[in-house]
Amino acid sequence: MHDHPVAPPETAAPHAEPPDDQSADLTVSAVTTVAPAGPGAFDAPDSAVAAAAPIVPAEPAPLPDLATMFGQCAWFRALAPEHQALVLAQSHAERHEAGDVIAQRLAPSEYWIGVHRGLLKLAIFNASGRGCTFSGVPSGGWFGEGSVIKRELRKYEVVAVQRSTVLMVPVDTFHALLDTSLPFTRFVIHQLNNRMGEFIASIQNSRLLDVDARVAQSLAQLFNAALYPDTGPSLAISQEELGMLVGVSRQRINQALQQLEKRGVLRLAYNQIEVVDLAALARVGMEQI
């Protein structure tokens, strides 16, 4: 297994997100992570952050063995023993820190990628640094099957939003499973279908909904169990991270979340969002369509 970050090239443009007035053109979905959240307000006041002593990140624990990590994936458990052995023999895991570029845009799609723990975003950036986030991928999510199937250049950058552990299945292993494993083929078909539905909804929401409703819909999308099976009732994510994914400022995210809390669809705590009524959250803004 590999345990090293992949740094972006020195010539890469800065990854700046657009201001609020540009965010309506983004196709996005918010994401969750399994990291625990602490007590208190959703985000600490800026003055408290400034006064606090610098926090030194703890050394990460050793990675679990591949069999343990893949064993948490439903698609892997459905494979025949010989196909499970193939995956374990040819795949590897990597740990990345926040900000690491895990896969470059326009580079060959050499791996099908899964998130064992953490939070990634799929995004593109132009020469001026303006960015567009297509989707976020939390723990339990897999992505990139379209580019891997076609063996084409990847159409987006894969960036770690939080410290993340990812599973890397080589393109040839993926195709071997696709050719010989009916359970895997069935999983990929369902994965592509659910991903298409997510992107269609994201385009609709980004074009037609106001910011409060877009935030609500982005949060609701995280509870698609077919795409994000590890999602629970709480999202451990900061306002800044959520803003990176939705494409609006931290301050505007705060306003939207406060409004949603007043409606009784979620509760806020320090770096954590608890969804109280998922059905009501999913209905927010639908009258605008």
Side-chain angles (χ1 to χ4, degrees), residues 142-156:
W142 287 81
F143 63 92
E145 51 277 345
S147 296
V148 168
I149 288 173
K150 293 180 284 186
R151 296 181 183 268
E152 66 182 8
L153 301 182
R154 198 174 298 277
K155 298 183 181 298
Y156 47 79

Side-chain angles (χ1 to χ4, degrees), residues 68-80 84 112 140 142 183-184 187 225-226 229-230:
T68 298
M69 290 188 284
F70 275 104
Q72 297 180 20
C73 304
W75 66 264
F76 178 83
R77 297 194 300 270
L79 298 179
Q84 291 184 353
W112 184 46
W142 287 81
F184 186 76
F187 170 82
D230 290 353

Side-chain angles (χ1 to χ4, degrees), residues 35-38 41-43 233-238 257 267-274:
F42 181 70
D43 269 338
S234 297
L235 310 178
I237 188 170
S238 71
L257 291 174
R267 281 194 292 264
L268 303 177
Y270 178 70
N271 284 357
Q272 180 169 314
I273 304 170
E274 180 184 357

Side-chain angles (χ1 to χ4, degrees), residues 189-223:
I189 291 172
H190 286 296
Q191 178 86 350
L192 290 169
N193 185 49
N194 281 288
R195 186 70 70 192
M196 178 63 70
E198 180 189 53
F199 280 131
I200 289 174
S202 295
I203 294 171
Q204 167 190 274
N205 297 341
S206 67
R207 297 293 189 269
L208 301 178
L209 301 184
D210 61 28
V211 174
D212 288 356
R214 291 208 313 273
V215 172
Q217 291 302 315
S218 295
L219 291 173
Q221 284 180 357
L222 300 177
F223 295 86

